[in-house]
Amino acid sequence: MALSFSLEHTDADSKARAGKITTAHGEISTPIFMPVGTAGSVKAVTQQQLYQEVKAQIILGNTYHLYLRPGIEILNKAGGLHGFMHWDKPILTDSGGYQVFSLAQSRKIKEEGVLFQSHIDGSRHLFSPEKVMDIQRNIGADIIMAFDECPPGQSEYNYAKNSLMLTQRWLDRCINHLNSTEPLYGYEQNLFPIVQGNQFHDLRKMSCEYVASKQAPGNAIGGLSVGEPEAVMYEITALCCEHLPADKPRYLMGVGTPWNILECISLGVDMFDCVMPTRNGRNGMLFTTNGVINIKNKKWADDFTPIDEGLPNEISHYYTKAYLRHLFVAGELLGLTIASLQNLCFYLWLVSEARKEIIKGTFTSWKNAMTEQLKQRL
Amino acid sequence: MALSFSLEHTDADSKARAGKITTAHGEISTPIFMPVGTAGSVKAVTQQQLYQEVKAQIILGNTYHLYLRPGIEILNKAGGLHGFMHWDKPILTDSGGYQVFSLAQSRKIKEEGVLFQSHIDGSRHLFSPEKVMDIQRNIGADIIMAFDECPPGQSEYNYAKNSLMLTQRWLDRCINHLNSTEPLYGYEQNLFPIVQGNQFHDLRKMSCEYVASKQAPGNAIGGLSVGEPEAVMYEITALCCEHLPADKPRYLMGVGTPWNILECISLGVDMFDCVMPTRNGRNGMLFTTNGVINIKNKKWADDFTPIDEGLPNEISHYYTKAYLRHLFVAGELLGLTIASLQNLCFYLWLVSEARKEIIKGTFTSWKNAMTEQLKQRL
């Protein structure tokens, strides 16, 4: 069964939408945030906690990391990533394009693909569109991403254009290779192409039209949240949403803060992923319904109120700010788990509230008030 | 309500006993293992997991660590350690005696107490019997330990004897100070004296008799598992059990491996604590019903069997050896959590099985077979 998307409600005052994605591993209510499980684990969180506390509907894995460790042979023997990590809901895998450009020790971009050295042991590898499709076949995610070039955020027009042309040729090779191979685990995998084009409107528009012409089950916007001003990110996101099909889910890759997510929902984005809730959580930065907390701050030392009373999750009520601060100060691993859970619970709560507000027809006013509230530094 | 102990069954073929300890925070079935939560957290494990997965009946905190961080003022404001970490079952606190001797940067033992420097910031502190009782009043554990001197395992007879005499004088000061102060949180705290005397039979016997004369609600055996041969540990444990009251729980401090615990249960010990399940777990050493596993070993890379099918716990069935090995190899925090949970679940399972076998009258043969099985290196 291929992925399908049904639109349930479109906001009158914005481009926000509420919908439902159906995959072989179940349904996803949109807008949705996808916790990042880079190497087969959402860091510091158990799968039980992802199901029961976070109520994650889909998680993300990363082709580059999974290819290096545990490797394709192990994943294949395990029946794919679902079996390997024992996760029965939908999974999306990033193509590794972004990682080979940002993580690998050295890399050489050719028409054929990208030659790179592993950040772990310096070993040499080639990622081509075909290779990346084969790897993603073995990982077995429900949604798989096209292999794209990710040019630096500050690229000149000509570099950006040449890069986009390469990404488009690679997209065709991804599609061709995927069409000539079969899924390995008995269910369909769905390729999402990625829009590139940096901050150049004509390139973004061209990319959207090219991507749209492929009639993929969903489409992604890449190359944002890489250092550009927020206003530029919103402007390009709005432009891409306008030119991407309305009847397919739109996935904005790697974005972002809670208020970035609210704003981009209002622009028509349906799917998000970001390492921010887990990474910032491990550094002691908490996102709460009242604003942002640096839990290491001395001011929380004797604050015995719950971490976040505004969330329905047990973890947010069970532990106090004073206790969580103590765990961070004492270097206790439990602190990393609680902070990661708080932030993931918050992100999942935020998108589910957004969805309710869209359906109620009150999204825009709610978003504006919520944005002020969430940005506060407590 | 003071702690009470009822003996339910005494083994015919050994000194093993099954009993029940009742505290203000609930009942404890013995023999029992107490997970160590040194600084107010059983490392890498949530309180929810302790309740639901591990089924811990009592946990241990440490006076030295809690006194340094978060400090007595915070603990007092939180209503004690139970409130601070949100743990509603019984807690036992170690007196800090062992830590000031093993962890502090420098220490000076005087009749008054021990002057030491914090291992965290070098700050100077005095632990006296009275001070340690005051700290434990503020922590509010159900079972609190006397402040003892912990002489090196290889001490000469005269050093050991003088040390024991000091420990006995300190015990009297602990009892006097406790009797002259009130519990802070409305429930009784129960002081366990600690038997010392190194490997010297006459000193151990003298210490047991002194300790027994105090008619405390429970008694502890200290100064073992500090590098002596296993045979010596068993010999001294047997001697102490013989000379300690039979109608009070006996707590063997800091012991040990699964087979140490089984052997010491057979000698008459009721309570155990040890950092081994959590510390060794974080190093990739798993205790399972089939034997010991170094999960980092290459041989587990494609072993897709559950971590331990012999345990009833979800965590032991849910994740495979291959997945857990991957988490360790990739440095994922989840590996530390799963390994800690596996080992704690195993230790709690082991003592509950021992209890069943004692009640059935089949303990000794079960223990002998189990010891062989558990010691195997897989």
Side-chain angles (χ1 to χ4, degrees), chain A residues 39-41 43 47-49 51 69-70 74 77-78 84-86 301-302 304 314 318-319 323 326 332 334, chain B residues 39-41 43 47-48 51 69-70 74 77-78 84-86 301-302 304 314 318-319 323 326 332 334:
Chain A
S41 164
K43 289 190 194 303
Q47 276 71 307
Q48 284 77 14
Q49 289 164 335
Y51 282 122
R69 288 190 304 217
I74 299 289
K77 282 190 192 171
F84 186 61
M85 65 183 292
H86 201 159
D302 60 355
F304 300 109
E314 184 187 9
Y318 194 87
Y319 299 102
Y323 181 63
H326 163 68
E332 287 288 340
L334 179 56
Chain B
S41 164
K43 290 190 193 304
Q47 276 72 306
Q48 284 77 15
Y51 282 121
R69 286 190 306 215
I74 299 289
K77 283 189 193 171
F84 186 62
M85 65 183 289
H86 202 161
D302 61 354
F304 300 108
E314 184 186 10
Y318 194 87
Y319 299 102
Y323 181 63
H326 163 67
E332 287 288 341
L334 179 57

Side-chain angles (χ1 to χ4, degrees), chain B residues 4 20 39 86 138-140 153 165 198 248 267 302 313 322 347:
Chain B
S4 67
K20 202 167 285 282
H86 202 161
N138 278 280
I139 298 174
M165 296 300 109
N198 290 63
K248 302 290 172 63
L267 302 174
D302 61 354
N313 306 80
Y347 268 67

